[in-house]
Amino acid sequence: MINTKLIPRTAQAYETPMLIKHLLAQSLKYEPQREIIYRDLFRMTYVDFNRRVRQLANVLTNLGVGPGDTVAVFDWDSHRYLECFFGVTSLGAILHTINVRLSPAQILYTMNHAEDKIVLIHEDFLPILNGIKSQLTTVNRFVLISDKVYTDSSAVTIPDGFDGEYEGLLAEASDQYDFPDFDENTWATTFYTTGTTGHPKGVYFSHRQLFMHTMGLLSYVVGYEAVPFRSATDVYMPITPMFHVHAWGFPFLATMMSVKQVYPGRYEPEMLLRLLLKEGVTLSHCVPTILNMLVSSPVAKQVDLSRWKVIIGGSALTKGLARAALDLNISVYAGYGMSETAPVLTITYLNDQEKPLPINEQVDLRTRAGRIAPFVELRLVDDDGNPVPHDGQSLGEVVVHAPWLTQGYYKEPDRSAELWRDGWMHTGDVATITPDNWLQIADRTKDVIKTGGEWISSLEIEDLLSQAAGVAEAAVVGLPDDKWGERPHALIVLKPGAAENVTTDQIKAGLLDKVQRGELNKWYVPDRIVFVPEIPKTSVGKIDKKKIRSEMKDMILGLSA
């Protein structure tokens, strides 16, 4: 322990805690008349927004929500979600952003595991809730969210057992609320991430961690201008689900800066492009699938997108997609992080020597995982935890220190200890780091498949396939897909004599039946199932997925054509 000298504490002095309410307070200081917009349905100023956040706090308090209670939200990217980012957390309650892409069974697990007390749900997701409602163990209040209130309020039907509709409850609530001070380490948000076998894991963040993540983004994209983001000239529209790591943290930053914000609701190419052009959107972030969908639209080739900056994460930004975007004068950048890292660890940063480079040379840089962000310490280690040199060539697992990393997984001490072994957060990604701080992801230590921005486990699919009649052994790998980034493909060895009675269509139909029953997410169904006499193995008898990808990829994809 280093012998340091602490500053004397004065009993009367006020020590400002790093709370989300203080990020919100900045939004009224300089440009309170700037707007927050939802589709073509709703517009408000920051004055209105702050009033609505206080009304939401009163609604929740009147419904019995107190400090430490968990509020679950099912919604598209919206102004309401943004209000929950601030209104729920500033109460001292916990915001649970529900991943609506999980299967109903997984959603049920996360809600019971998080001990949700109240649910705010868009009517589009009522079928999911209706299927699991009777099995919820801690929820006792429900609030409906409906877009019909902006077009025809008489068409809104409030289900039995619900306390009302979001807009109606806000309208009846007081707009006076004094958010309290509390410890900055108070739990603020939670959500659930998949990617390994077993149930989804609960990731959680404190006010301090989210405050510091916002300061990290502020210093990198505003201070260093890694992705230039200016309060006076930029318009922000997320195209990342707000249940995904707080929409990558940018809503907190945009609100603090009083930036004009646009929320698109359900992702529809026509609506996204219309909002982008009509509202003058200049900064977005999304997974490659969404960008590919937009640049492939005929409309994109007919309009001026030269002011649009897009940060790509979730999966690798390919050179082909980067060039397609740059050909449309869209500035693309790569970012890297995890659910557990809040998430930003790296973002593309072109220095004074790199900015003048020809586009072809910039593509090579822009498709790396990015440069290490301020306040982030990344290292590479080998299997024994020994440091690996940052020479741009040597491979190692990425481990990290930063002020905004989750402390672990909720109610899972063993998994938390594994995540933080040796005092560093282990990402499970293998990469190189250059002497000038560029990160390049090479592979993953676990065979997680990224498809359409979602993470799915090859081991879970193998387990499901192994339970099908006639299956002796199964191996699943993720292979490149132009549309989704990656898709799972399966190799199966049948039991003796089963070939006459089992077909690949039957096996796939069994998985699809699980999807229909809500037991399985549709992303888990392999694009192709191939029967093989044997599956490649390593010298110790493990499935050799590296060999499958390198030596059998063309065979599998050829059969898929």
Side-chain angles (χ1 to χ4, degrees):
M1 179 69 69
I2 298 175
N3 186 20
T4 58
K5 189 173 184 179
L6 299 178
I7 293 176
R9 298 173 66 90
T10 303
Q12 293 81 11
Y14 174 65
E15 295 186 22
T16 303
M18 298 180 189
L19 298 177
I20 290 171
K21 73 169 186 175
H22 294 306
L23 301 177
L24 175 65
Q26 306 312 305
S27 67
L28 289 175
K29 283 188 175 179
Y30 310 111
E31 302 291 345
Q33 295 306 314
R34 288 199 181 129
E35 289 187 307
I36 298 171
I37 296 146
Y38 176 56
R39 292 175 75 86
D40 52 1
L41 298 172
F42 185 82
R43 310 175 78 92
M44 63 178 165
T45 67
Y46 274 93
V47 174
D48 300 325
F49 175 71
N50 276 262
R51 171 178 52 80
R52 286 169 60 89
V53 168
R54 294 191 298 270
Q55 288 174 311
L56 174 60
N58 278 308
V59 168
L60 295 173
T61 301
N62 293 338
L63 292 176
V65 175
D69 290 332
T70 303
V71 178
V73 176
F74 291 73
D75 197 7
W76 307 109
D77 285 8
S78 73
H79 61 298
R80 299 169 300 242
Y81 227 139
L82 186 67
E83 289 159 5
C84 290
F85 273 29
F86 291 91
V88 174
T89 57
S90 295
L91 281 174
I94 301 163
L95 174 64
H96 178 192
T97 56
I98 299 288
N99 183 344
V100 297
R101 295 179 180 173
L102 296 177
S103 71
Q106 290 173 316
I107 290 174
L108 172 65
Y109 170 80
T110 66
M111 295 178 71
N112 287 337
H113 190 264
E115 301 175 30
D116 295 340
K117 182 172 183 177
I118 183 172
V119 175
L120 281 56
I121 183 167
H122 192 286
E123 59 191 356
D124 287 353
F125 304 114
L126 286 176
I128 297 175
L129 179 64
N130 291 337
I132 63 175
K133 189 176 180 181
S134 64
Q135 301 173 70
L136 294 172
T137 57
T138 58
V139 175
N140 56 28
R141 310 301 286 263
F142 299 90
V143 172
L144 180 70
I145 293 171
S146 174
D147 286 347
K148 295 189 184 79
V149 297
Y150 307 119
T151 56
D152 181 10
S153 58
S154 65
V156 178
T157 301
I158 299 175
D160 291 341
F162 275 59
D163 290 281
E165 190 279 325
Y166 185 93
E167 290 292 338
L169 292 172
L170 253 64
E172 297 172 356
S174 169
D175 62 4
Q176 299 300 307
Y177 198 99
D178 186 15
F179 290 115
D181 275 358
F182 41 76
D183 192 305
E184 64 189 26
N185 295 300
T186 297
W187 189 355
T189 66
T190 191
F191 56 88
Y192 283 73
T193 180
T194 59
T196 60
T197 55
H199 291 300
K201 303 185 295 296
V203 178
Y204 50 88
F205 292 95
S206 69
H207 282 253
R208 182 183 190 279
Q209 288 164 337
L210 297 182
F211 190 102
M212 287 303 300
H213 185 266
T214 306
M215 295 302 104
L217 279 179
L218 178 69
S219 65
Y220 207 20
V221 303
V222 178
Y224 289 98
E225 295 192 325
V227 184
F229 191 42
R230 302 176 182 91
S231 174
T233 56
D234 276 297
V235 178
Y236 166 69
M237 180 174 76
I239 320 179
T240 301
M242 296 179 80
F243 62 72
H244 256 181
V245 207
H246 324 108
W248 300 358
F250 278 85
F252 288 117
L253 176 63
T255 301
M256 187 196 77
M257 293 171 59
S258 306
V259 170
K260 178 181 175 182
Q261 301 186 60
V262 181
Y263 286 85
R266 182 199 292 265
Y267 295 160
E268 299 162 339
E270 297 80 6
M271 176 59 71
L272 292 173
L273 284 169
R274 184 158 70 246
L275 291 171
L276 194 150
L277 298 171
K278 178 184 176 183
E279 304 298 342
V281 173
T282 62
L283 178 66
S284 298
H285 46 75
C286 62
V287 297
T289 305
I290 298 293
L291 181 61
N292 184 61
M293 175 182 70
L294 291 172
V295 301
S296 300
S297 168
V299 177
K301 298 174 177 61
Q302 302 170 13
V303 297
D304 181 9
L305 298 174
S306 59
R307 296 185 65 231
W308 197 29
K309 297 163 286 192
V310 183
I311 302 170
I312 296 297
S315 296
L317 172 62
T318 65
K319 289 183 173 62
L321 180 56
R323 288 194 178 96
L326 291 167
D327 287 345
L328 293 172
N329 296 313
I330 302 169
S331 295
V332 287
Y333 306 80
Y336 167 72
M338 304 164 56
S339 296
E340 293 85 347
T341 65
V344 173
L345 297 177
T346 68
I347 295 179
T348 299
Y349 175 85
L350 300 177
N351 63 25
D352 291 343
Q353 290 73 46
E354 294 159 343
K355 288 176 184 175
L357 291 174
I359 287 297
N360 280 343
E361 294 183 47
Q362 283 197 17
V363 166
D364 290 338
L365 296 172
R366 289 174 183 265
T367 53
R368 296 180 182 180
R371 264 194 168 107
I372 301 171
F375 313 121
V376 174
E377 184 180 2
L378 287 187
R379 288 186 180 178
L380 302 177
V381 297
D382 61 21
D383 289 343
D384 296 320
N386 300 312
V388 171
H390 295 186
D391 56 13
Q393 301 294 324
S394 302
L395 290 168
E397 184 189 2
V398 179
V399 297
V400 59
H401 280 165
W404 47 77
L405 309 181
T406 186
Q407 296 297 297
Y409 300 119
Y410 185 44
K411 299 179 183 176
E412 299 201 55
D414 291 342
R415 278 180 162 178
S416 300
E418 177 65 15
L419 178 70
W420 276 100
R421 61 188 182 277
D422 303 321
W424 288 80
M425 178 180 282
H426 285 249
T427 68
D429 287 319
V430 174
T432 61
I433 299 177
T434 66
D436 54 351
N437 293 313
W438 282 101
L439 177 73
Q440 181 64 55
I441 303 296
D443 203 347
R444 289 175 287 281
T445 57
K446 298 176 182 178
D447 295 299
V448 177
I449 300 167
K450 290 183 178 180
T451 180
E454 296 298 312
W455 290 49
I456 61 176
S457 168
S458 62
L459 300 178
E460 288 188 5
I461 304 174
E462 289 167 3
D463 183 61
L464 290 166
L465 292 172
S466 70
Q467 298 175 54
V471 173
E473 193 175 20
V476 174
V477 296
L479 295 179
D481 184 274
D482 290 340
K483 184 176 183 181
W484 301 113
E486 285 184 334
R487 288 293 298 141
H489 295 260
L491 301 181
I492 284 179
V493 176
L494 292 174
K495 296 176 181 177
E500 297 178 2
N501 303 312
V502 178
T503 67
T504 57
D505 287 343
Q506 288 173 337
I507 294 174
K508 186 176 287 190
L511 296 178
L512 290 170
D513 183 61
K514 291 180 180 292
V515 172
Q516 291 295 321
R517 297 201 305 268
E519 299 173 6
L520 184 67
N521 190 300
K522 65 180 181 180
W523 297 104
Y524 282 68
V525 180
D527 274 11
R528 182 73 185 186
I529 297 173
V530 181
F531 291 153
V532 293
E534 63 179 8
I535 292 173
K537 304 284 178 57
T538 67
S539 59
V540 294
K542 295 182 179 179
I543 295 174
D544 193 343
K545 295 191 176 182
K546 181 179 179 181
K547 186 173 183 179
I548 293 172
R549 293 190 190 98
S550 62
E551 298 183 11
M552 304 183 72
K553 178 179 71 174
D554 291 341
M555 180 271 289
I556 297 171
L557 293 178
L559 288 171
S560 299

